[in-house]
Amino acid sequence: MEDRLVPMPEDWRRALAIVAHPDDLEYGAAAAVARWTSAGKEVAYLLVTRGEAGIDTMEPAEAARVREAEQRASAAVVGVESVEFLDHKDGVIEEGVALRRDLAAAIRRHRPEVVVTLNHQDTWGRNWWNTPDHRVVGRAVLDAVGDAGNRWIFTDLAEDGLRPWDGVRWVAVAGSPEPTHAVEVGEEDVERAVASLAEHRAYITALSDKEPAEYAREIITGAMDELAGRTEGRRAVAFRLYPRG
Ligand SMILES: [Zn+2]
């Protein structure tokens, strides 16, 4: 039997969630976001792309517009008003210094204590291969947290007024095949997470015959049921936590 997950620390005020695509946070993490915002914490979202390559039946320019709107609506459902897009290219996000610089700039601007991202490992577990964008962005986020705190890296950012921020205490990776911590959530948080995922209506409609709300409920509660053995049956969102300092 696998170990029980440890409760995630709650003595913080600001989080910045950085992911590759619209919908990445809604496939699980949003229930924790709902809990955090209802407890008075501030959470902002940063999307590296607009997910323009994510809908087979829709041209990228149109998909970018639709998915940005869906992401803003789904963020609002869980109490997130700040939603920014970096406009890297969906599907072919380039790993490297340019991406790290963009992420470090955002971390310096938002000054979060917690940074949330999505699974950067090769698989989701069970040999389900992860996508290149998730691998690249997750790893770059972990790297950029260090960059954000070092005044001698990206010195031009400081010249633009973005002073170093060394206050990130944890990076929390959602969707990890090796979670370490859990955020227990209530019924209301689960309902908001379901509604938040269901806002990705065009995306879900293109990949499933189910009603978005029905599809979203199955995904959100299914993931929580799978985790129940490690949370004493309580509903929770799992993260792999990387503490700093
Ligand atoms: Zn994604």
Side-chain angles (χ1 to χ4, degrees):
M1 193 170 131
E2 288 183 296
D3 291 342
R4 188 169 176 215
L5 297 171
V6 178
M8 182 152 151
E10 298 205 317
D11 55 331
W12 54 271
R13 275 182 40 78
R14 277 192 313 278
L16 174 63
I18 306 174
V19 290
H21 313 117
D23 81 43
D24 284 353
L25 290 163
E26 284 70 43
Y27 276 87
V33 173
R35 181 197 158 105
W36 292 332
T37 58
S38 64
K41 298 181 191 302
E42 289 170 38
V43 183
Y45 286 0
L46 179 70
L47 287 292
V48 175
T49 78
R50 288 176 203 260
E52 69 271 15
I55 302 179
D56 183 54
T57 51
M58 200 181 278
E59 288 291 326
E62 171 71 355
R65 195 186 58 73
V66 167
R67 301 203 73 198
E68 176 183 341
E70 291 186 341
Q71 183 60 61
R72 290 187 189 283
S74 65
V77 171
V78 291
V80 175
E81 284 165 21
S82 171
V83 182
E84 299 167 344
F85 295 83
L86 287 177
D87 278 327
H88 285 248
K89 210 162 156 38
D90 187 13
V92 289
I93 298 172
E94 288 189 40
E95 189 165 18
V97 171
L99 176 60
R100 275 170 49 199
R101 183 183 185 283
D102 283 351
L103 302 185
I107 293 165
R108 289 185 183 191
R109 198 154 24 83
H110 286 274
R111 304 169 82 79
E113 298 140 281
V114 173
V115 171
V116 175
T117 190
L118 189 67
N119 179 27
H120 59 283
Q121 291 177 247
D122 284 346
T123 73
W124 299 102
R126 302 175 192 163
N127 288 345
W128 291 346
W129 193 241
N130 199 353
T131 71
D133 281 359
H134 298 150
R135 295 199 307 272
V136 166
V137 170
R139 294 176 64 85
V141 166
L142 284 154
D143 291 338
V145 164
D147 301 335
N150 186 327
R151 69 160 96 192
W152 304 122
I153 297 176
F154 305 130
T155 49
D156 54 324
L157 293 179
E159 285 159 19
D160 290 342
L162 292 175
R163 286 179 294 123
W165 173 248
D166 198 25
V168 177
R169 293 161 65 197
W170 304 277
V171 179
V173 178
S176 171
E178 295 165 348
T180 56
H181 288 66
V183 175
E184 203 179 303
V185 295
E187 207 52 49
E188 175 72 20
D189 305 317
V190 174
E191 290 306 315
R192 288 167 79 195
V194 169
S196 182
L197 177 54
E199 289 290 348
H200 291 280
R201 181 164 288 276
Y203 178 75
I204 293 169
T205 305
L207 63 83
S208 169
D209 292 333
K210 293 185 182 132
E211 267 296 300
E214 184 194 353
Y215 170 90
R217 185 168 302 279
E218 283 182 16
I219 295 281
I220 300 298
T221 59
M224 288 180 181
D225 289 346
E226 246 177 64
L227 200 64
R230 301 189 66 186
T231 59
E232 292 183 343
R234 297 196 176 95
R235 292 213 152 154
V237 179
F239 293 93
R240 179 168 179 175
L241 209 63
Y242 290 80
R244 299 192 69 249

mmCIF file of all heavy atoms in Angstrom, residues 48-67:
data_model
loop_
_atom_site.group_PDB
_atom_site.id
_atom_site.type_symbol
_atom_site.label_atom_id
_atom_site.label_comp_id
_atom_site.label_asym_id
_atom_site.label_seq_id
_atom_site.Cartn_x
_atom_site.Cartn_y
_atom_site.Cartn_z
ATOM 1 N N VAL A 48 1.323 29.624 -20.945
ATOM 2 C CA VAL A 48 2.446 29.822 -21.863
ATOM 3 C C VAL A 48 1.963 29.907 -23.316
ATOM 4 O O VAL A 48 2.554 30.602 -24.135
ATOM 5 C CB VAL A 48 3.503 28.716 -21.658
ATOM 6 C CG1 VAL A 48 4.629 28.820 -22.672
ATOM 7 C CG2 VAL A 48 4.081 28.811 -20.247
ATOM 8 N N THR A 49 0.866 29.224 -23.629
ATOM 9 C CA THR A 49 0.271 29.326 -24.979
ATOM 10 C C THR A 49 -1.231 29.601 -24.839
ATOM 11 O O THR A 49 -1.775 29.560 -23.743
ATOM 12 C CB THR A 49 0.418 28.019 -25.792
ATOM 13 O OG1 THR A 49 -0.569 27.074 -25.335
ATOM 14 C CG2 THR A 49 1.804 27.412 -25.647
ATOM 15 N N ARG A 50 -1.883 29.804 -25.983
ATOM 16 C CA ARG A 50 -3.350 29.914 -25.971
ATOM 17 C C ARG A 50 -4.010 28.590 -26.361
ATOM 18 O O ARG A 50 -5.202 28.541 -26.632
ATOM 19 C CB ARG A 50 -3.801 31.020 -26.924
ATOM 20 C CG ARG A 50 -3.475 32.383 -26.366
ATOM 21 C CD ARG A 50 -3.809 33.526 -27.312
ATOM 22 N NE ARG A 50 -2.994 34.662 -26.960
ATOM 23 C CZ ARG A 50 -3.429 35.713 -26.231
ATOM 24 N NH1 ARG A 50 -4.660 35.789 -25.844
ATOM 25 N NH2 ARG A 50 -2.594 36.673 -25.922
ATOM 26 N N GLY A 51 -3.224 27.531 -26.457
ATOM 27 C CA GLY A 51 -3.806 26.223 -26.770
ATOM 28 C C GLY A 51 -4.375 26.147 -28.172
ATOM 29 O O GLY A 51 -5.303 25.380 -28.456
ATOM 30 N N GLU A 52 -3.773 26.923 -29.082
ATOM 31 C CA GLU A 52 -4.376 27.056 -30.432
ATOM 32 C C GLU A 52 -4.294 25.788 -31.279
ATOM 33 O O GLU A 52 -5.021 25.661 -32.260
ATOM 34 C CB GLU A 52 -3.737 28.247 -31.167
ATOM 35 C CG GLU A 52 -2.269 28.068 -31.560
ATOM 36 C CD GLU A 52 -1.292 28.529 -30.478
ATOM 37 O OE1 GLU A 52 -1.717 28.719 -29.323
ATOM 38 O OE2 GLU A 52 -0.098 28.684 -30.798
ATOM 39 N N ALA A 53 -3.425 24.849 -30.888
ATOM 40 C CA ALA A 53 -3.329 23.589 -31.650
ATOM 41 C C ALA A 53 -4.132 22.469 -30.999
ATOM 42 O O ALA A 53 -3.978 21.302 -31.350
ATOM 43 C CB ALA A 53 -1.861 23.173 -31.780
ATOM 44 N N GLY A 54 -5.016 22.830 -30.064
ATOM 45 C CA GLY A 54 -5.651 21.800 -29.238
ATOM 46 C C GLY A 54 -6.987 21.278 -29.725
ATOM 47 O O GLY A 54 -7.525 20.334 -29.152
ATOM 48 N N ILE A 55 -7.557 21.898 -30.773
ATOM 49 C CA ILE A 55 -8.874 21.447 -31.247
ATOM 50 C C ILE A 55 -8.757 21.072 -32.717
ATOM 51 O O ILE A 55 -8.593 21.938 -33.580
ATOM 52 C CB ILE A 55 -9.952 22.539 -31.029
ATOM 53 C CG1 ILE A 55 -10.036 22.901 -29.532
ATOM 54 C CG2 ILE A 55 -11.308 22.077 -31.559
ATOM 55 C CD1 ILE A 55 -11.055 23.978 -29.194
ATOM 56 N N ASP A 56 -8.849 19.783 -32.988
ATOM 57 C CA ASP A 56 -8.603 19.259 -34.342
ATOM 58 C C ASP A 56 -9.487 19.912 -35.405
ATOM 59 O O ASP A 56 -9.050 20.162 -36.524
ATOM 60 C CB ASP A 56 -8.835 17.739 -34.330
ATOM 61 C CG ASP A 56 -8.540 17.111 -35.665
ATOM 62 O OD1 ASP A 56 -7.417 17.327 -36.170
ATOM 63 O OD2 ASP A 56 -9.433 16.445 -36.224
ATOM 64 N N THR A 57 -10.722 20.203 -35.041
ATOM 65 C CA THR A 57 -11.699 20.697 -36.016
ATOM 66 C C THR A 57 -11.725 22.225 -36.120
ATOM 67 O O THR A 57 -12.593 22.786 -36.785
ATOM 68 C CB THR A 57 -13.108 20.209 -35.624
ATOM 69 O OG1 THR A 57 -13.313 20.537 -34.234
ATOM 70 C CG2 THR A 57 -13.236 18.707 -35.820
ATOM 71 N N MET A 58 -10.795 22.895 -35.457
ATOM 72 C CA MET A 58 -10.832 24.364 -35.445
ATOM 73 C C MET A 58 -9.473 24.936 -35.850
ATOM 74 O O MET A 58 -8.442 24.514 -35.350
ATOM 75 C CB MET A 58 -11.203 24.836 -34.029
ATOM 76 C CG MET A 58 -11.747 26.248 -33.968
ATOM 77 S SD MET A 58 -12.143 26.726 -32.240
ATOM 78 C CE MET A 58 -13.750 25.983 -32.031
ATOM 79 N N GLU A 59 -9.484 25.901 -36.745
ATOM 80 C CA GLU A 59 -8.241 26.555 -37.163
ATOM 81 C C GLU A 59 -7.580 27.241 -35.960
ATOM 82 O O GLU A 59 -8.276 27.793 -35.095
ATOM 83 C CB GLU A 59 -8.551 27.631 -38.214
ATOM 84 C CG GLU A 59 -8.949 27.076 -39.563
ATOM 85 C CD GLU A 59 -7.793 26.380 -40.275
ATOM 86 O OE1 GLU A 59 -6.640 26.843 -40.104
ATOM 87 O OE2 GLU A 59 -8.037 25.380 -40.957
ATOM 88 N N PRO A 60 -6.243 27.257 -35.933
ATOM 89 C CA PRO A 60 -5.544 27.815 -34.767
ATOM 90 C C PRO A 60 -5.948 29.250 -34.388
ATOM 91 O O PRO A 60 -6.087 29.541 -33.197
ATOM 92 C CB PRO A 60 -4.070 27.739 -35.184
ATOM 93 C CG PRO A 60 -4.012 26.554 -36.086
ATOM 94 C CD PRO A 60 -5.317 26.566 -36.847
ATOM 95 N N ALA A 61 -6.139 30.130 -35.343
ATOM 96 C CA ALA A 61 -6.452 31.525 -34.992
ATOM 97 C C ALA A 61 -7.776 31.599 -34.238
ATOM 98 O O ALA A 61 -7.912 32.320 -33.241
ATOM 99 C CB ALA A 61 -6.501 32.388 -36.249
ATOM 100 N N GLU A 62 -8.739 30.835 -34.714
ATOM 101 C CA GLU A 62 -10.056 30.797 -34.059
ATOM 102 C C GLU A 62 -9.950 30.095 -32.701
ATOM 103 O O GLU A 62 -10.517 30.546 -31.698
ATOM 104 C CB GLU A 62 -11.039 30.060 -34.984
ATOM 105 C CG GLU A 62 -12.398 29.737 -34.393
ATOM 106 C CD GLU A 62 -13.279 30.964 -34.193
ATOM 107 O OE1 GLU A 62 -12.794 32.086 -34.432
ATOM 108 O OE2 GLU A 62 -14.433 30.785 -33.757
ATOM 109 N N ALA A 63 -9.203 28.979 -32.673
ATOM 110 C CA ALA A 63 -9.063 28.224 -31.422
ATOM 111 C C ALA A 63 -8.396 29.079 -30.343
ATOM 112 O O ALA A 63 -8.778 29.017 -29.176
ATOM 113 C CB ALA A 63 -8.271 26.941 -31.653
ATOM 114 N N ALA A 64 -7.423 29.897 -30.732
ATOM 115 C CA ALA A 64 -6.740 30.750 -29.754
ATOM 116 C C ALA A 64 -7.733 31.697 -29.092
ATOM 117 O O ALA A 64 -7.721 31.883 -27.864
ATOM 118 C CB ALA A 64 -5.625 31.546 -30.433
ATOM 119 N N ARG A 65 -8.611 32.269 -29.911
ATOM 120 C CA ARG A 65 -9.601 33.223 -29.399
ATOM 121 C C ARG A 65 -10.596 32.523 -28.465
ATOM 122 O O ARG A 65 -10.860 32.970 -27.348
ATOM 123 C CB ARG A 65 -10.336 33.847 -30.588
ATOM 124 C CG ARG A 65 -11.139 35.082 -30.283
ATOM 125 C CD ARG A 65 -11.936 35.522 -31.505
ATOM 126 N NE ARG A 65 -12.849 34.487 -31.998
ATOM 127 C CZ ARG A 65 -13.974 34.131 -31.395
ATOM 128 N NH1 ARG A 65 -14.346 34.709 -30.269
ATOM 129 N NH2 ARG A 65 -14.755 33.187 -31.908
ATOM 130 N N VAL A 66 -11.117 31.389 -28.938
ATOM 131 C CA VAL A 66 -12.114 30.647 -28.163
ATOM 132 C C VAL A 66 -11.514 30.142 -26.850
ATOM 133 O O VAL A 66 -12.110 30.268 -25.780
ATOM 134 C CB VAL A 66 -12.638 29.448 -29.000
ATOM 135 C CG1 VAL A 66 -13.435 28.475 -28.150
ATOM 136 C CG2 VAL A 66 -13.464 29.958 -30.176
ATOM 137 N N ARG A 67 -10.315 29.619 -26.932
ATOM 138 C CA ARG A 67 -9.735 28.988 -25.740
ATOM 139 C C ARG A 67 -9.289 30.027 -24.706
ATOM 140 O O ARG A 67 -9.320 29.765 -23.514
ATOM 141 C CB ARG A 67 -8.593 28.062 -26.132
ATOM 142 C CG ARG A 67 -9.067 26.960 -27.094
ATOM 143 C CD ARG A 67 -8.180 25.757 -27.078
ATOM 144 N NE ARG A 67 -8.372 25.009 -25.845
ATOM 145 C CZ ARG A 67 -7.511 24.116 -25.384
ATOM 146 N NH1 ARG A 67 -6.385 23.900 -26.020
ATOM 147 N NH2 ARG A 67 -7.759 23.463 -24.272
#
